[in-house]
Structures are given as structure tokens and as C-alpha cells.
Amino acid sequence: MYFEEDYLMLSGIQHFAFCRRQWALIHIEQQWTDNYRTTAGELMHKKAHDAGSFEKRGNLLIVRGMRITSRELGLSGQCDVVEFRQNEKGIDLFGYDGKWSPKPVEYKHGVPKENNADELQLCAQAICLEEMFQTQIPDGDLYYGENRRRSHVEFTDSLREEVKRAVKEMHDLFQRGYTPNVKPAKKCKACSLENLCVPKLQKAIRVREYIRQGIKSDD
């Protein structure tokens, strides 16, 4: 269990899954720059959050911009959308008759990614909701703006364990204030922090090795 002052941003798990160095630059060193992808994504999330707090459609209750936390994970954040469907095995909701089962829905710009960063973020949201409502959430949805389709995600035991391992490492790095070295890859071109990270310099020869080689060549 974590204290509230030790909570990390839930959305950071997506950065962490994409690149540990990117996450550290943003969440430890407080560095950030925008590119087209980040700006478009921010606009999509703003639209999802500002569309209204509550909306009821028959047996479906849509809640936007819900704040969530987890003492177990030490995370806090915000869900784009949480859908509550009437279900006799669900939970009680103040002000609404019957039982309701929650499901997180995360909005993403673009198309599904090659890695599972989005799935990890969505699963982390579900774990927060489970802790808050004392229930079980078996699945959720990722909505991608480019193809305007939902991608169904099952919260398997392996996915949940991967979330917990990632969050544990995030807390460890944050407490140490440590920014991992970069591992240059094709994905660096899509990173908004490429100019701050300067991955090409990570491949350069170290100063100590450069001096050693210089001394050796003079012998």
C-alpha cells in the first residue's frame, strides 16, 4: 500500500511501456515537448472529458472524466469514459436503482500500437476501479480515433501481473530519481522528446574511452 503523496500518474504507464527513458524524462525530470501525435491525442481526450459528466441511455450509464486512484498500485489518474451497465451481479450506485457493472473505455488517437502500452494503461484503470468499487472487471475497450473502432481488451492474469511489475519498477526509479539510458530504436522517431533525449549521442564513444584511445595512439 502506498501513501497518497507517493502516488504516480496512471497515464505514465503508457510512457513507461513505450520507453522507460521517455517516462523518466517526463515524470522525474519534468521535461515535455509536443508533436502532432501528442497534440491530437490531447484534443481527443479533452473532447471525451468535456462532453459531459453523466449520460444515461436506457440500461447504460456513461460517466466521463472520472477520477480514480489505487493504494495498492500507488497510482492516480482519470478515465476518459467509464460505462456502467445494469447487471444483477453488479454494484450499487448512489442515486440509481438496480445493480451496475463498470467498464473503462480509453480514447486513443491513431490506430492500435505494436506494443501493449494501451492495454496496460486500460488494465491499470480497471484495477483502480476494482479497488474503489470492490468489484471485479473482466474487460474494457480501447477506442481508436483513426479507424473509429473499439478494440476489446480482456484483463487476464498475465496482463494484470505485467501492470504490477511495471508500476513497481516505476516507483523504484522515481524514488531513486534515476533516468535510464536510452536504447535507440525506430520508435525514437515518433517520440516527442527525441530532441531532448538525443538518442544518437547515446551511441557516441564515452569521453573516458576517447581519452584512453588518444593516449594509446600517442605511445
Side-chain angles (χ1 to χ4, degrees):
M1 294 295 179
Y2 291 90
F3 294 107
E4 188 172 348
E5 57 266 26
D6 297 322
Y7 285 1
L8 299 177
M9 291 179 61
L10 187 149
S11 59
I13 196 170
Q14 184 191 28
H15 301 138
F16 189 81
F18 175 77
C19 173
R20 283 162 169 73
R21 182 173 175 83
Q22 184 201 63
W23 172 83
L25 288 172
I26 296 172
H27 297 271
I28 296 178
E29 298 188 16
Q30 300 293 305
Q31 300 191 57
W32 179 256
T33 59
D34 283 313
N35 61 11
Y36 168 75
R37 292 180 178 84
T38 59
T39 302
E42 183 179 350
L43 291 174
M44 171 171 277
H45 282 84
K46 184 176 181 181
K47 182 178 180 180
H49 292 168
D50 292 348
S53 296
F54 298 90
E55 180 181 354
K56 193 171 184 301
R57 302 175 185 173
N59 66 346
L60 176 65
L61 174 64
I62 301 172
V63 182
R64 295 179 172 86
M66 176 181 287
R67 303 295 305 180
I68 57 175
T69 62
S70 169
R71 290 188 62 196
E72 178 188 0
L73 297 178
L75 296 177
S76 66
Q78 188 174 21
C79 290
D80 287 339
V81 170
V82 179
E83 294 181 346
F84 293 87
R85 289 189 180 275
Q86 279 191 313
N87 183 339
E88 60 182 16
K89 296 182 179 180
I91 59 174
D92 293 319
L93 287 180
F94 179 78
Y96 294 91
D97 295 329
K99 303 285 187 177
W100 302 80
S101 293
K103 180 175 76 172
V105 181
E106 178 71 9
Y107 281 64
K108 297 295 182 183
H109 175 72
V111 295
K113 299 177 176 61
E114 294 181 1
N115 60 28
N116 67 344
D118 294 341
E119 286 80 0
L120 289 172
Q121 182 182 3
L122 188 68
C123 186
Q125 292 179 3
I127 294 174
C128 290
L129 290 168
E130 288 176 338
E131 184 178 318
M132 292 169 61
F133 290 105
Q134 293 297 295
T135 188
Q136 292 293 316
I137 302 175
D139 53 49
D141 289 333
L142 292 165
Y143 175 85
Y144 290 96
E146 190 166 318
N147 59 18
R148 297 184 179 181
R149 293 182 179 179
R150 286 194 180 194
S151 178
H152 183 72
V153 179
E154 291 187 11
F155 302 135
T156 62
D157 291 341
S158 60
L159 185 61
R160 291 171 181 271
E161 287 302 315
E162 190 173 352
V163 168
K164 293 175 182 179
R165 287 195 302 269
V167 171
K168 185 177 184 301
E169 188 175 349
M170 287 163 59
H171 278 284
D172 178 62
L173 292 174
F174 192 87
Q175 290 171 5
R176 292 162 53 198
Y178 177 72
T179 300
N181 291 327
V182 69
K183 295 182 179 179
K186 291 182 179 179
K187 64 183 180 181
C188 293
K189 294 295 182 181
C191 179
S192 64
L193 300 183
E194 183 183 12
N195 292 332
L196 292 174
C197 178
V198 197
K200 291 182 179 180
L201 292 184
Q202 301 294 321
K203 292 183 177 181
I205 189 170
R206 294 185 177 181
V207 174
R208 180 180 299 178
E209 180 65 16
Y210 177 81
I211 294 175
R212 189 189 68 80
Q213 290 184 9
I215 294 174
K216 185 177 181 180
S217 63
D218 291 339
D219 292 343

